[in-house]
Amino acid sequence: MNKPLAGAFLAALLLGAGAAPVTAAESAGNASTVPAAAAAPAVDSPTAVPGAAEAAPKAKAVTFAGTVALSNCSGSVVRSPDAAPTDPALVLSNGHCLESGFPGPGEVVVDQPSSRTFTLLNASGSGIGTVKASKVAYGTMTDTDLSLYELTSTYQQIEDGYGIRALELETAHPTAGTAITVASGYWKRTYSCDIDGFLHQLKEGRWTWKDSVRYTPECQTIGGTSGSPVIDDATGKVVAVNNTGNESGQECTDNNPCEVDENGEVTVREGINYAQQTYTMVPCIGAGSKIDLDREGCALPKP
């Protein structure tokens, strides 16, 4: 896993080791900050040709608006396309970021009381307030690695109080080659790359995940980025949640996931990082933004 961090002391050690967060500066274009190694080279705009169709408009820059910082991980305020303004808001993160610890294989957490707090960020990455959970609506590390917290605030209350709109969850399977941004609320840092492909299985220690997203090498995520939303640059929608990477080239061990194909062949890609798709969550979110695992089309693991 992109390991959850154990508080401020470990964060300070990471900072001292050169993993200092890069804070996004709010600019006229509202562009997000990207690590230098991942920045795309500038290209000239195409010359207009009389009579030719105009070039498609540029995608809106991804910012930190709607992301949150947990005590040990990253996350985001998310909504389904059908969410009502009066619904209690949901925070998305990883199952391995739950305050109760890593769920075991086959374990599913539903409707567990929680008073966890989250620091809400604005577009430039500044903390602008605190939102609070009422419960863990859902959490697991089986087939996927995600958690959903239900907040005490509604979407409308968050927008009225802080000017922040929740990030919308994409409803369809993403495609390889899609330009994405991983936005870490913990580090106030973004990582830009493409979706390199999808995996039959991703195995790490005791856990197995299905149809995971593999990033191209530019997304060198680190501890504390766990739970970050993976945002489609073109649509601004959340397509996955960042969760792990192979740190030292070991095979299928903790912090060293391996890829397993349909024939059981194992591939290890040292330094490559991964995420879990989120479109599968949408059919499980019912009226009132409540998690309903019995809804038609919901395929998330059940307790």
Side-chain angles (χ1 to χ4, degrees):
M1 271 70 76
N2 289 133
K3 298 180 290 295
L5 299 183
F9 178 69
L10 183 52
L13 289 179
L14 285 172
L15 285 168
V22 181
T23 302
E26 206 158 20
S27 65
N30 222 10
S32 61
T33 299
V34 181
V43 295
D44 293 332
S45 300
T47 303
V49 178
E54 292 185 5
K58 292 182 179 179
K60 184 177 180 181
V62 173
T63 73
F64 294 102
T67 63
V68 299
L70 286 66
S71 58
N72 59 347
C73 286
S74 300
S76 57
V77 181
V78 297
R79 65 180 180 88
S80 70
D82 297 328
T86 54
D87 289 351
L90 299 175
V91 162
L92 168 69
S93 191
N94 285 147
H96 78 259
C97 293
L98 289 170
E99 64 267 44
S100 55
F102 292 9
E107 182 179 358
V108 176
V109 178
V110 293
D111 292 333
Q112 293 297 307
S114 174
S115 58
R116 195 167 196 179
T117 58
F118 312 88
T119 302
L120 183 67
L121 306 184
N122 65 9
S124 65
S126 297
I128 54 174
T130 299
V131 292
K132 185 177 180 179
S134 62
K135 66 180 180 180
V136 177
Y138 185 86
T140 193
M141 291 177 65
T142 299
D143 294 349
T144 185
D145 182 10
L146 66 85
S147 60
L148 280 170
Y149 287 84
E150 183 178 300
L151 300 185
T152 58
S153 305
T154 67
Y155 292 113
Q156 191 66 61
Q157 287 171 332
I158 292 173
E159 185 170 356
D160 290 345
Y162 303 106
I164 296 297
R165 290 180 59 87
L167 299 174
E168 185 175 332
L169 294 167
E170 176 58 71
T171 60
H173 193 295
T175 58
T178 298
I180 54 172
T181 296
V182 182
S184 170
Y186 186 94
W187 288 115
K188 302 177 177 64
R189 179 173 180 172
T190 61
Y191 302 80
S192 290
C193 59
D194 293 344
I195 292 177
D196 190 41
F198 306 95
L199 313 175
H200 174 64
Q201 291 183 338
L202 187 67
K203 289 183 176 288
E204 179 173 343
R206 298 185 294 149
W207 295 276
T208 300
W209 303 307
K210 299 177 180 178
D211 201 18
S212 303
V213 173
R214 181 178 61 227
Y215 304 144
T216 53
E218 293 82 7
C219 280
Q220 290 295 304
T221 51
I222 60 175
T225 63
S226 288
S228 299
V230 179
I231 301 170
D232 184 324
D233 290 352
T235 66
K237 296 181 181 181
V238 176
V239 297
V241 57
N242 179 68
N243 82 307
T244 194
N246 187 293
E247 296 183 359
S248 57
Q250 296 179 31
E251 184 177 304
C252 312
T253 63
D254 289 350
N255 306 313
N256 290 283
C258 62
E259 303 177 10
V260 184
D261 69 13
E262 292 85 347
N263 299 315
E265 183 175 343
V266 174
T267 301
V268 174
R269 301 179 192 270
E270 183 176 357
I272 294 299
N273 294 284
Y274 303 91
Q276 303 306 311
Q277 297 186 56
T278 50
Y279 79 96
T280 55
M281 294 166 28
V282 177
C284 307
I285 303 174
S289 292
K290 302 293 184 181
I291 305 304
D292 181 357
L293 301 179
D294 294 322
R295 290 189 83 223
E296 182 179 357
C298 178
L300 288 179
K302 298 179 180 180

